[in-house]
Amino acid sequence: MSTLANQLASAEREEVARAIRLLLARPLLTEAADPTGFDLVRRRRDPLARWFDYTCGWNLVVEPRRGYARLTKVRVNPDGSRPARRARSGRAPFDRRRYVLLCVTAAELLSMPMTTIGMLADRVVQAMAADRVLAGFDPVRRPERMAFVDVLKLLESYDVLRVVDGTTETYVDSVEAKVLYRVDNTLLMRLPAAPVGASRLAVPPEEVPARFEELLADLVRERRYGGASADDTHAETAATTDAQRNLRLRHSVLRRLFDDPVLYRTDLADDELAYVTSLTGRQILRRSVEQAGFLLEERAEGFLLVDPDAIATDVRFPDDTSTARVAALLLLAPLCATPAGLLPEQLAEAGAELLRRFPGWAKAYQSEEGPARLADDAVRILLDVGLAARARDRVVARPAAYRYRLTETTGPAPKNDPPAVTAAGSAGEGDKQ
């Protein structure tokens, strides 16, 4: 009996660890997209909810009947490194226009259990025309229809919209396209992750640009970390304040550890660094990492998690599936060889050297401005995965970049395939969780 109990306990630990990593990569997990993964999360939802709440302060909601699990990941420092992306080839990030359309479309869908693409477009036209701050939506123009389709395809990928009849892409070619949708209003309301709704800030529109950073911080401010005022001398209140402070430190450090490719000590505030190097902080960190099934690598420069099964990986590096990602890996060599960093002109020259080295590669960058664009796109990838940073007018390699070593480069094949690259010492290091 004891052996059976141990086996069951071990199986539960393994399943919980796998489900944690699955949700880190896919905070919105639907039964339609991954039946096996959703079933695992459904069965282990109680220990999962406890782990995420204790470790990161993130709320997990599992709706078995509706077929989705939503992990609300609140970022410590919100930035633009993980944008919504278009479903079309190239996966370009959303621009300002598409984000505006996304917000307005989502607001209109809240009261529509069923709709057609034409009815929804009309509602968006009316809503934007009634708002003096927003530029009007004109579905007669093809670029506007393309932006609208990108928004709808994103909502389809979230399972908020389900096509009952027709194809969304047909709207790009004709405003008369017929597409019928079923709307999951409940799931739609689960999408926002900000603890504070934007409508609660009540800021005049003309003040938003000047106060944008302040307002962004207000959106993610969590009341659970609020402390007592400085002149409050009650012992009970002081104890509560200490508990809230420790809770904030635990969540802020572990959120970044589990959600970013690498956590550098220099990126931590003084109190965060003191927490993670304390006996209690280190014990909690190591236990949480073990429970999630990661391997922890701790160096003088910081911390890094490796998922042996690559379950938690949503962005891979190295990755030869795109020109910019190949270029990013190839640019690491000159970056690491120049500790002081490279200027934009030097990066553009490095991009030009790559294009000269592989003349049949990177067709989209074979233009006068192509080398600079290739270098910019590659640098953006290195910044996102924590391998590079900007230092004034230069781009410098960060410590984790030195883990990569190019071991093989194969030139273009006769059909102008991109160069094949192999990097040593890079198993999981650049993965984003």
Side-chain angles (χ1 to χ4, degrees), residues 5 7 14 24 29 46 71 86 172 176 190 221 224 240 305 309 311 322 341 356 393 395 412-414 430:
Q7 291 175 344
E14 292 177 2
L24 286 172
L29 183 65
D46 291 338
L71 175 65
R86 308 172 200 183
V172 173
E176 302 297 330
R190 295 284 186 192
R221 180 168 289 121
R224 71 172 87 188
T240 301
L305 297 185
D309 304 311
I311 298 170
S322 78
R356 286 193 295 267
D393 55 347
V395 174

Side-chain angles (χ1 to χ4, degrees), residues 207-226:
E207 295 183 17
V208 171
R211 299 175 56 187
F212 183 77
E213 295 299 330
E214 171 197 343
L215 296 173
L216 192 61
D218 288 341
L219 288 176
V220 296
R221 180 168 289 121
E222 297 169 82
R223 296 181 61 185
R224 71 172 87 188
Y225 306 135

Side-chain angles (χ1 to χ4, degrees), residues 15 17 24 40 44 59 74 97 109 127 143 151 188 215 236 249 256 267 275 297 362 424 429:
E15 290 190 348
L24 286 172
L40 175 62
R44 300 302 184 188
N59 183 47
V74 181
R97 183 59 172 172
L109 285 172
V151 166
L188 178 61
L215 296 173
E236 182 178 352
L249 291 173
R256 296 170 71 173
D267 291 341
Y275 175 83
E297 293 193 10
E429 285 87 338

Side-chain angles (χ1 to χ4, degrees), residues 155-297:
L155 293 173
E156 283 182 40
S157 71
Y158 294 156
D159 224 25
V160 167
L161 285 181
R162 294 186 181 181
V163 177
V164 178
D165 186 40
T167 305
T168 301
E169 289 86 346
T170 59
Y171 190 72
V172 173
D173 297 321
S174 173
V175 73
E176 302 297 330
K178 306 297 182 185
V179 189
L180 178 64
Y181 298 105
R182 179 176 290 110
V183 186
D184 190 333
N185 311 98
T186 304
L187 178 54
L188 178 61
M189 289 187 288
R190 295 284 186 192
L191 293 185
V196 179
S199 61
R200 294 174 57 186
L201 299 182
V203 178
E206 58 272 12
E207 295 183 17
V208 171
R211 299 175 56 187
F212 183 77
E213 295 299 330
E214 171 197 343
L215 296 173
L216 192 61
D218 288 341
L219 288 176
V220 296
R221 180 168 289 121
E222 297 169 82
R223 296 181 61 185
R224 71 172 87 188
Y225 306 135
S229 59
D231 58 351
D232 200 330
T233 57
H234 296 294
E236 182 178 352
T237 304
T240 301
T241 302
D242 289 341
Q244 290 173 327
R245 176 179 176 275
N246 288 332
L247 185 66
R248 177 186 62 80
L249 291 173
R250 181 172 79 230
H251 289 168
S252 64
V253 170
L254 294 181
R255 282 176 180 179
R256 296 170 71 173
L257 180 67
F258 283 104
D259 206 35
D260 291 335
V262 60
L263 177 60
Y264 293 104
R265 294 176 189 268
T266 54
D267 291 341
L268 295 173
D270 290 341
D271 55 352
E272 292 175 327
L273 184 58
Y275 175 83
V276 79
T277 54
S278 68
L279 179 61
T280 300
R282 291 176 66 84
Q283 288 177 338
I284 292 175
L285 183 150
R286 292 180 179 277
R287 183 174 66 246
S288 301
V289 168
E290 180 182 359
Q291 290 170 341
F294 287 101
L295 301 178
L296 175 66
E297 293 193 10

